[in-house]
Amino acid sequence: MPPSPGRGVLWLGLVLGSLCVALENAAQANPATDSLNILLIIVDDLRPSLGCYGDKLVRSPNIDQLASRSLLFQNAFAQQAVCAPSRVSFLTGRRPDTTRLYDFSSYWRVHAGNFSTIPQYFKENGYVTMSVGKVFHPGISSNHSDDSPYSWSFPPYHPSSEKYENTKTCRGPDGELHANLLCPVDLVDVPEGTLPDKQSTEQAIQLLEKMKMSASPFFLAIGYHKPHIPFRYPKEFQKLYPLENITLAADPQVPDGLPPVAYNPWMDIRQREDVQALNISVPYGPIPVDFQRKIRQSYFASVSYLDTQVGHLLSALDDLQLANSTIIAFTSDHGWALGEHGEWAKYSNFDVTTRVPLLFYVPGRTTSFPEAGEKLFPYHDPFDSVSELMKPGRQSMHLVELVSLFPTLAGLAGLQVPPRCPIPSFHVTLCREGQSLLKHFRFHDLKEDPYLRGNPRELIAYSQYPRPADSPQWNSDKPSLKDIKIMGYSIRTIDYRYTVWVGFNPDEFLANFSDIHAGELYFVDSDPLQDHNVYNDSQGGELSRSLMP
């Protein structure tokens, strides 16, 4: 099918009509021309299944190349493992208990407080701010406008093909179209002949071309859909992952000691036509082994497809000679379980769903400036079997949180880092609850040990997840605010993960830590996959009580 003009052309017209005004306003706010640009890449549902994080199966040469020139955080964690709450949290620098968003159904500026966002702060400091794809979660949680006009210099761009993501565009063995979980496609066979992430990359490159001619610095955020379900990607990427090479999760069983409240029944997966046909029992499954391999195959194929889009974007940045003047931050809103603990989604407090990739490229700091004619980010084809695995440049083993993104980007760009939030901070427009990560970028010598010094035992990452009941039910994964009865607060240190599930009042947004429903305690050294809950053991019980707020 030929591409349809649709929203893309309408959006481009709005951009052309408003870009001049945005540039003029930015120049008036900050006439300096030596500020570093920001390119923020946000991926949906991406766990650290990447070569640069040690995954030997996944082919991600372009992201690995970015990591080789970046500071990579090995232990970065989201504050809630679901899209809208996580994005609002790290884009405002506030935790879910402050944004008061645990579901998808409220706008923080009305529901909690008129909190500034990362792009808003850069806009107010003279940057032209632009949004492409899924940056904020669409809908009420971003006021049906991606938080415009607060955060963006002109209306955000959404790919016209987004609307087909959950429709019947997956051709099954019967030759008919289905709304499947597994959806490798032929691009000539899909509506508009394209996919959302391809459109987002194309539009982002067009914006970079326009900003190349501008004297004003830019903040460009691009949000990629894959590997979010459904696994709708160009079918040729399946060839990278033959089924005979796909292993199962190391711990595919529901752990014996897992309290029922901690389990998510992955209801959105069950609604897909190909999964429905399996007649899997609710809530504990299991999915047949051959279909488990197919899910993992399609997830990894989606990651490699995503990698090509990142590669094209960064190669364009290079070609436009913007790589030496642009900070690049790459992260995901949360992880995703691929059969670990018998789960196939996010919606939990485990590492597999809260741990995310996080890396920062800073020109001249995380790597040396290139020599004349040298490219920093040449495109790498994941189908090229001779390409060598690129190792990360610098790494930090410290535990960090996504709420640190706001102060870190501000500081790296030379802006004043917003102050720490008081408690409570609902009345404070500009502050942040995350720690700045700037100290990790203070390199004395580019040849020093790539593992940064420090005491990681001093750091803690916090996550949380709501539940409507003590046992899995139809809305356990994504309860509406009014239905939340229990909140699971989780502490991750370098040594353990401790979670306590306590009573929660959704009307007053209050947790009752004297009303304990269940607990989890996992020691990372001896139980890295978090399969053996020792909360109820005498030693574990004593430790858990000592760690309670």
Side-chain angles (χ1 to χ4, degrees), residues 297-309:
Q297 175 194 48
S298 277
Y299 183 92
F300 300 146
S302 297
V303 172
S304 291
Y305 162 55
L306 158 76
D307 180 78
T308 64
Q309 300 309 302

Side-chain angles (χ1 to χ4, degrees), residues 266-285:
W266 34 278
M267 297 303 295
D268 48 1
I269 297 290
R270 298 173 189 275
Q271 295 168 11
R272 310 289 167 168
E273 290 183 32
D274 50 352
V275 178
Q276 285 182 338
L278 300 173
N279 293 317
I280 301 167
S281 61
V282 180
Y284 294 111

Side-chain angles (χ1 to χ4, degrees), residues 237-498:
F237 286 89
Q238 262 190 338
K239 298 176 184 176
L240 293 172
Y241 303 98
L243 278 174
E244 58 267 24
N245 294 345
I246 303 298
T247 59
L248 301 180
D251 53 346
Q253 305 298 324
V254 179
D256 289 337
L258 185 71
V261 70
Y263 183 79
N264 76 76
W266 34 278
M267 297 303 295
D268 48 1
I269 297 290
R270 298 173 189 275
Q271 295 168 11
R272 310 289 167 168
E273 290 183 32
D274 50 352
V275 178
Q276 285 182 338
L278 300 173
N279 293 317
I280 301 167
S281 61
V282 180
Y284 294 111
I287 291 178
V289 167
D290 60 339
F291 201 84
Q292 290 187 37
R293 285 196 172 89
K294 290 179 180 179
I295 294 177
R296 291 169 67 88
Q297 175 194 48
S298 277
Y299 183 92
F300 300 146
S302 297
V303 172
S304 291
Y305 162 55
L306 158 76
D307 180 78
T308 64
Q309 300 309 302
V310 173
H312 288 308
L313 177 65
L314 297 185
S315 179
L317 188 80
D318 229 346
D319 291 341
L320 293 166
Q321 298 181 331
L322 290 169
N324 284 350
S325 57
T326 302
I327 295 167
I328 304 170
F330 178 95
T331 193
S332 170
D333 51 2
H334 43 70
W336 211 78
L338 283 170
E340 293 85 2
H341 309 116
E343 297 182 333
W344 298 90
K346 46 254 190 179
Y347 315 132
S348 82
N349 284 317
F350 286 113
D351 277 17
V352 73
T353 62
T354 56
R355 183 170 170 247
V356 295
L358 179 64
L359 50 95
F360 296 87
Y361 158 78
V362 185
R365 293 180 72 176
T366 58
T367 190
S368 55
F369 286 112
E371 297 180 3
E374 179 188 3
K375 289 195 66 173
L376 283 174
F377 303 113
Y379 177 78
H380 290 270
D381 188 341
F383 291 90
D384 184 358
S385 59
V386 300
S387 61
E388 295 183 4
L389 176 64
M390 284 165 280
K391 296 181 179 179
R394 296 172 178 275
Q395 298 184 59
S396 171
M397 306 304 292
H398 284 67
L399 279 90
V400 300
E401 303 175 293
L402 283 189
V403 283
S404 292
L405 195 60
F406 196 156
T408 303
L409 284 178
L412 290 175
L415 303 181
Q416 182 175 350
V417 175
R420 293 295 297 266
C421 290
I423 300 175
S425 65
F426 299 106
H427 61 291
V428 181
T429 300
L430 178 64
C431 68
R432 42 87 185 188
E433 294 181 353
Q435 294 187 22
S436 168
L437 304 180
L438 291 181
K439 66 180 181 181
H440 298 276
F441 295 85
R442 293 172 187 155
F443 309 137
H444 299 295
D445 184 342
L446 288 174
K447 296 181 181 179
E448 71 179 7
D449 187 335
Y451 288 91
L452 300 177
R453 305 292 182 182
N455 182 7
R457 283 183 169 77
E458 296 175 353
L459 300 175
I460 295 174
Y462 298 91
S463 301
Q464 61 188 101
Y465 209 87
R467 295 285 190 234
D470 287 297
S471 297
Q473 59 185 46
W474 67 272
N475 64 339
S476 286
D477 295 341
K478 295 183 285 188
S480 298
L481 174 63
K482 64 179 177 58
D483 297 323
I484 297 173
K485 301 293 189 297
I486 305 163
M487 187 68 73
Y489 290 94
S490 193
I491 297 171
R492 175 65 156 85
T493 75
I494 203 70
D495 296 314
Y496 61 82
R497 178 173 286 285
Y498 165 64

